[in-house]
Amino acid sequence: CIMVLDGIAYSYGILLNALMVHFGQGKGLISLVGSVLAGVIMLVGPIASYLVNRFGTRVVCVLGAVTSSFAIFVSTYSPNVPFLMFTYGVVGGLGLGLMYVPAVVAVGYWFEKRRSLVTGISTCGSGAGTILFAPLVTALEKNFGWQGCNQMLAGLCLLCSLFGMTMKPVPLRKPDEEDSVTEIKKENEASSGPYSEAEFDYMDGENGNTTEVKLQEEPSAKIMSAPAVENKKNPSMLSLLCNPAFLLIMIGNLPAVMGLYIPYMFLPAMSEERGLSKEQAALLISLIGLFNTAGRVISGAVTDHPKIDALFVTCFALGFGAVCPFFMDLCTNFASYIVVSILFGFSLSAWPAVTSAMLVDLLGLEQLTSGFGALTCIRGLAAFLGPPLGGFVIDMTGGNYSPAFWISAALLGSSSLVHFVAFVVKRRLQANN
């Protein structure tokens, strides 16, 4: 499901020139259609989260697959850009968004010890979609036009309803089943470990009126933090907004997503203008996806190490990824474009791959779906702004792509700084608790 929805979103830039010719409009307006699609996919995050909590991942994913398939198919008969924007961007984005949240959070409930690795593997669908859909969309558009291409993509969306049916609900824990704290208790008794009964009462949230106990954290194990225990007692959206580290992460995601989508949208057109063939330009997007896929698995495995903080990994990934759009503008031949595209895909792979682990570490498992939905909504707002900003800047500068890529680099760099501040705030809060 992630492969299809991200493949459609990230390959929209390949259709940019065909749509500009068909509707007789500039880059700014046509790129806005793709931004609406990407933005709505994420903006519906809170709605999708509520529906998942209410009806489960299976129902919501199937509903999204059917909705997106219908909308994208109807959009091929658009008489003008506003109709295309509504059917393809708004309704299609709604359907894809309903697919996205269940596909990401479903694995978070099934796995505990290797959550980062499993999430990284599942989100590899995004990279796989970029790898496969770039040449696929190029070939389909070349042979069937953009209408025929999108009609076939609509069929792939409908196929995702079958994958949605496989999303088995997590069974409710039976009274005699052990949870993580119970396992720690048994290990503590067997090895005469460092934890007292009062500390276990604190883990269970049964400390009552007793003096607050500060947990002795073992470096080799991740024990539920105080904020996570607090959120377990009050799993509401208000508790998310009262967490300063989470607020900073939300703010940091605004420039990050704006900067991310600009290269995806304009790299094919810029590289073609500078001498690359259409097939070579599409290959650059595929390379980004290929190394993004590999990076997600690697970063997920690395982040599962108890001494590696998912939020710090995010800071590093965004900071390193910020230099890539700047160097994209300096590329002069196909080989240099290949090198920078590989670095761009690999460096930014950790950011989405460790999101679930970062949220569980910061908010607790009980608020994973709500936190992910809120974060996805913020990302949706940013996706609305990034590509149109780049498109209008290109139009205003007479078709010069350089300023758009400079803006992308600055946005990703500023996001890295904000995430680092969130990392510092999180550490201080954990130290105080």
Side-chain angles (χ1 to χ4, degrees):
C1 294
I2 296 176
M3 181 187 74
V4 172
L5 68 92
D6 275 348
I8 292 174
Y10 289 141
S11 62
Y12 177 80
I14 297 173
L15 300 176
L16 197 63
N17 288 334
L19 291 169
M20 288 168 59
V21 172
H22 182 86
F23 292 104
Q25 299 292 337
K27 291 182 177 66
L29 183 60
I30 297 300
S31 64
L32 182 60
V33 177
S35 297
V36 170
L37 174 74
V40 173
I41 288 174
M42 298 181 182
L43 277 175
V44 299
I47 299 173
S49 297
Y50 170 78
L51 293 175
V52 167
N53 289 331
R54 182 71 176 82
F55 301 105
T57 54
R58 177 182 293 169
V59 173
V60 178
C61 187
V62 172
L63 175 63
V66 174
T67 302
S68 60
S69 175
F70 173 78
I72 293 175
F73 184 85
V74 171
S75 73
T76 61
Y77 297 97
S78 301
N80 49 50
V81 175
F83 188 84
L84 176 69
M85 194 174 297
F86 175 74
T87 53
Y88 182 87
V90 177
V91 184
L94 172 65
L96 294 177
L98 292 178
M99 288 168 54
Y100 179 63
V101 172
V104 173
V105 304
V107 296
Y109 289 103
W110 280 96
F111 297 90
E112 181 178 353
K113 293 182 179 179
R114 297 293 181 185
R115 184 175 288 119
S116 294
L117 176 60
V118 173
T119 303
I121 293 173
S122 68
T123 56
C124 280
S126 177
T130 310
I131 297 168
L132 299 175
F133 274 65
L136 175 64
V137 169
T138 300
L140 292 177
E141 190 273 328
K142 183 177 180 180
N143 292 282
F144 303 103
W146 72 268
Q147 293 98 330
C149 174
N150 277 351
Q151 287 170 2
M152 295 182 188
L153 295 182
L156 291 177
C157 289
L158 187 60
L159 184 63
C160 287
S161 61
L162 299 179
F163 299 121
M165 292 295 295
T166 66
M167 293 184 181
K168 183 180 178 182
V170 179
L172 296 175
R173 185 184 298 277
K174 296 179 181 179
D176 58 341
E177 286 188 283
E178 296 179 357
D179 57 15
S180 299
V181 175
T182 304
E183 293 177 3
I184 296 173
K185 286 180 179 179
K186 287 191 173 183
E187 293 177 4
N188 190 70
E189 292 174 359
S191 60
S192 300
Y195 301 109
S196 66
E197 288 298 324
E199 290 171 329
F200 281 121
D201 288 342
Y202 185 81
M203 291 185 195
D204 291 327
E206 298 173 354
N207 52 324
N209 295 324
T210 60
T211 304
E212 183 176 316
V213 180
K214 184 175 180 179
L215 296 182
Q216 302 174 10
E217 293 187 356
E218 286 286 329
S220 61
K222 287 186 177 179
I223 308 299
M224 184 182 292
S225 62
V229 176
E230 201 173 291
N231 287 333
K232 185 176 181 180
K233 296 178 183 178
N234 184 27
S236 66
M237 189 62 70
L238 181 61
S239 63
L240 292 177
L241 301 179
C242 291
N243 189 313
F246 181 73
L247 281 176
L248 286 168
I249 291 171
M250 291 175 68
I251 294 170
N253 270 260
L254 281 168
V257 175
M258 289 175 65
L260 172 69
Y261 275 98
I262 290 176
Y264 276 106
M265 184 68 70
F266 299 112
L267 180 59
M270 181 180 74
S271 58
E272 283 184 54
E273 185 183 83
R274 298 184 179 183
L276 271 62
S277 67
K278 196 165 189 175
E279 289 72 21
Q280 287 176 326
L283 180 60
L284 296 179
I285 301 298
S286 294
L287 286 172
I288 292 174
L290 175 63
F291 284 87
N292 189 274
T293 301
R296 291 185 186 217
V297 177
I298 295 172
S299 60
V302 169
T303 308
D304 274 327
H305 192 283
K307 292 185 178 181
I308 303 297
D309 191 287
L311 182 51
F312 184 78
V313 172
T314 302
C315 301
F316 179 80
L318 290 169
F320 191 78
V323 304
C324 295
F326 179 78
F327 283 111
M328 284 177 181
D329 180 56
L330 302 179
C331 293
T332 57
N333 51 52
F334 186 43
S336 58
Y337 274 114
I338 287 176
V339 173
V340 178
S341 296
I342 289 173
L343 292 175
F344 182 72
F346 187 82
S347 60
L348 291 176
S349 61
W351 171 32
V354 304
T355 296
S356 292
M358 177 184 68
L359 293 177
V360 171
D361 185 40
L362 185 65
L363 305 171
L365 183 61
E366 291 74 20
Q367 286 197 309
L368 171 60
T369 301
S370 298
F372 190 82
L375 196 59
T376 301
C377 182
I378 293 297
R379 290 175 177 177
L381 290 173
F384 271 118
L385 303 174
L389 173 63
F392 286 121
V393 168
I394 293 169
D395 289 338
M396 290 173 61
T397 55
N400 184 7
Y401 288 91
S402 297
F405 282 80
W406 299 342
I407 291 172
S408 173
L411 289 170
L412 289 168
S414 63
S415 175
S416 177
L417 292 176
V418 175
H419 276 82
F420 182 75
V421 174
F423 172 73
V424 173
V425 170
K426 172 195 166 187
R427 283 298 182 92
R428 289 185 177 179
L429 288 174
Q430 289 179 338
N432 291 337
N433 287 321

